[in-house]
Amino acid sequence: MKYTESAPKLFMNTGTKFHRSLIFAMGVVKYSCARANATLGILDQQIGKAIEQASMELMEGKLDDKIVLDVFQTGSGTGLNMNVNEVLAERSSQISGLKVHPNDHVNMSQSSNDTVPTAIRIGAVKQVQDKLIPALEGIISSLRETGDKYSSVIKSGRTHLRDAMPVTLGQELHAYADALSHDLNMLKTVLEYVKEIPLGGTAVGTGVNSHPKFRETVITVINQVTGLGFTLANPFRGLRFLTDLLTLSGIMRTIAVELYRMAQDFRLMFSGPMTAIGEIDLPTQEEIAGSSIMPGKTNPVTAEASMLIAAQVVGLDQANQFASNLGEFELAMGVPLIGQNVVTQVDLLSEGLNKFSSLLVKGMVPNQEKMKRYAESSPALVTVISPIVGYDKASQIGKMLNRGMSIREALKELGFSDKQIDDILDLSKLIKPGIQTK
């Protein structure tokens, strides 16, 4: 394997190996090309069968240890393609007893410029379908179910981290679910764009050195192997631009930002228990020590880990923006990097969403009495009850609240009965549209 042995002298040796999904996708490409070439009568049937078998082994992970070239290599992905060609040629020769050539046979009707851009799209689509979509569907379902469960649990709203009008815990959880539901719709839409692959464009998009029917034949085989419904891209666009993958990355950045926001809100609600908000308990977070020096301390470890994941996904998206700019004329030049980054983003987000759903959303236990007390203590309520009790009394109540009293305590001190106070502080009227009157 001459190329694979020589290339590390010129490429980087960072230890960053290609993601399993991308190696799988390269196996799909080589399998499909061998089948198409043999079907079209331009590749010896026995050699074609041997390449198919070797490619299947690559797809199954049996040859992963031989895919050794670093992600940080030539920007077209030629290093990955040649590494795969040589590994498959060697294995196909063993299988068939014939001399299988990495370029003449394994790479027939192909160029690195169309195989690797195709593989990174196949890998991305498979990862999103297998991992990210189920993770999103799972957390949306959890948020909706938990939101329904706590639809009548009233708590203080907060704007600018200051007390505001009441909301329900259910309303907050449904807000997260709605945001992620929109993300899921956008993800499914952009996936159709990513499914357009440029295989058969060979070096510059013209398809030179490939059979005239190669593209339509090979796409059929790819869909038979993957079942994912790929279509043929305009090859000139598919080789030149990676902006379909950048759009996918951008949607994952959006999901990451929303995951971060959810984690931050859960973290704040869990803060305390005595000197901060302390509105919810997260029993799952008590399973490990929160401090090496303070016995009994518990921390929102899953929320914080989710925030780190979000930060990494956003950072990878920034790298993808840069990588998408690389290249001139007929070639994108950030192919291996953006391919690796996108499937890594899928891994990170899927793990973060799954853990957040199972441990935080499903595991949360609201402190309902404290939530109600906070809601009744919000100075924002003074404005709403002013038309009911009158401006002067509302001003007195405002001053009492500044001294640390709750509105209930202030009203009682002003002579209101418990029944009158319950009527005035019917918070259920304040969590929906309406105007309070006497």
Side-chain angles (χ1 to χ4, degrees), residues 232-254:
L232 293 173
N234 176 313
F236 299 96
R237 188 271 300 167
L239 302 187
R240 180 183 300 240
F241 289 113
L242 298 173
T243 40
D244 54 329
L245 288 164
L246 179 62
T247 306
L248 172 59
S249 174
I251 293 170
M252 290 194 284
R253 178 202 62 224
T254 298

Side-chain angles (χ1 to χ4, degrees), residues 142-426:
S142 294
L143 286 165
R144 286 174 175 163
E145 288 175 9
T146 309
D148 290 343
K149 181 179 179 181
Y150 297 130
S151 61
S152 60
V153 175
I154 297 174
K155 65 192 292 287
S156 178
R158 295 180 178 88
T159 60
H160 304 277
L161 287 179
R162 301 289 286 177
D163 302 332
M165 297 301 296
V167 296
T168 70
L169 182 57
Q171 287 169 332
E172 291 184 328
L173 295 175
H174 276 286
Y176 305 137
D178 186 68
L180 292 173
S181 180
H182 282 287
D183 297 340
L184 178 59
N185 289 336
M186 289 191 293
L187 189 65
K188 290 179 178 178
T189 297
V190 76
L191 215 57
E192 295 306 308
Y193 185 16
V194 181
K195 286 181 182 180
E196 297 180 15
I197 55 176
L199 192 60
T202 62
V204 293
T206 60
V208 66
N209 280 359
S210 68
H211 192 284
K213 293 185 177 180
F214 176 75
R215 295 194 77 210
E216 61 191 68
T217 305
V218 77
I219 193 73
T220 299
V221 182
I222 287 174
N223 286 327
Q224 289 171 349
V225 173
T226 65
L228 292 174
F230 292 96
T231 58
L232 293 173
N234 176 313
F236 299 96
R237 188 271 300 167
L239 302 187
R240 180 183 300 240
F241 289 113
L242 298 173
T243 40
D244 54 329
L245 288 164
L246 179 62
T247 306
L248 172 59
S249 174
I251 293 170
M252 290 194 284
R253 178 202 62 224
T254 298
I255 296 168
V257 168
E258 286 161 359
L259 175 61
Y260 189 98
R261 275 294 313 273
M262 283 196 303
Q264 184 75 299
D265 287 351
F266 270 67
R267 191 166 168 257
L268 286 169
M269 286 193 290
F270 184 58
S271 63
M274 306 305 295
T275 60
I277 296 176
E279 286 184 331
I280 63 171
D281 192 21
L282 298 171
T284 55
Q285 309 302 283
E286 297 173 4
E287 295 178 8
I288 61 170
S291 171
S292 61
I293 192 173
M294 292 176 279
K297 189 173 188 294
T298 58
N299 294 334
V301 294
T302 304
E304 291 175 356
S306 299
M307 293 164 79
L308 298 186
I309 277 179
Q312 183 74 353
V313 170
V314 171
L316 290 173
D317 177 66
Q318 184 67 37
N320 291 339
Q321 293 176 49
F322 201 100
S324 295
N325 286 319
L326 300 176
E328 304 80 23
F329 301 112
E330 275 64 58
L331 180 67
M333 213 279 294
V335 176
L337 181 60
I338 197 169
Q340 181 82 355
N341 286 350
V342 165
V343 294
T344 301
Q345 286 171 292
V346 173
D347 275 349
L348 291 170
L349 274 180
S350 301
E351 175 69 3
L353 293 169
N354 285 331
K355 287 282 176 65
F356 199 97
S357 175
S358 62
L359 299 179
L360 301 186
V361 179
K362 291 181 180 179
M364 70 182 302
V365 179
N367 186 336
Q368 298 188 36
E369 286 302 316
K370 182 177 279 192
M371 286 182 172
K372 182 180 179 181
R373 186 166 71 252
Y374 283 158
E376 290 182 349
S377 301
S378 173
L381 292 180
V382 175
T383 303
V384 178
I385 68 172
S386 179
I388 301 172
V389 302
Y391 180 85
D392 292 337
K393 286 186 177 179
S395 297
Q396 285 182 269
I397 292 171
K399 293 175 183 177
M400 292 176 179
L401 294 181
N402 289 335
R403 297 200 302 267
M405 295 179 68
S406 70
I407 290 180
R408 182 174 290 276
E409 292 167 339
L411 287 169
K412 182 166 284 192
E413 189 165 309
L414 290 175
F416 289 88
S417 69
D418 287 339
K419 184 179 185 309
Q420 289 174 314
I421 294 171
D422 287 340
D423 288 340
I424 293 170
L425 293 181
D426 185 356

Side-chain angles (χ1 to χ4, degrees), residues 88-150:
L88 293 182
E90 181 178 74
R91 180 66 186 125
S92 301
S93 297
Q94 294 170 352
I95 292 167
S96 64
L98 302 173
K99 180 62 178 176
V100 179
H101 195 279
N103 296 83
D104 296 340
H105 300 131
V106 180
N107 203 58
M108 181 181 284
S109 302
Q110 304 154 63
S111 163
S112 297
N113 295 352
D114 66 343
T115 54
V116 185
T118 293
I120 62 174
R121 289 173 168 102
I122 291 174
V125 170
K126 181 170 173 54
Q127 282 282 94
V128 170
Q129 292 276 31
D130 290 352
K131 300 183 73 172
L132 186 52
I133 288 177
L136 271 173
E137 290 173 339
I139 194 168
I140 290 167
S141 176
S142 294
L143 286 165
R144 286 174 175 163
E145 288 175 9
T146 309
D148 290 343
K149 181 179 179 181
Y150 297 130

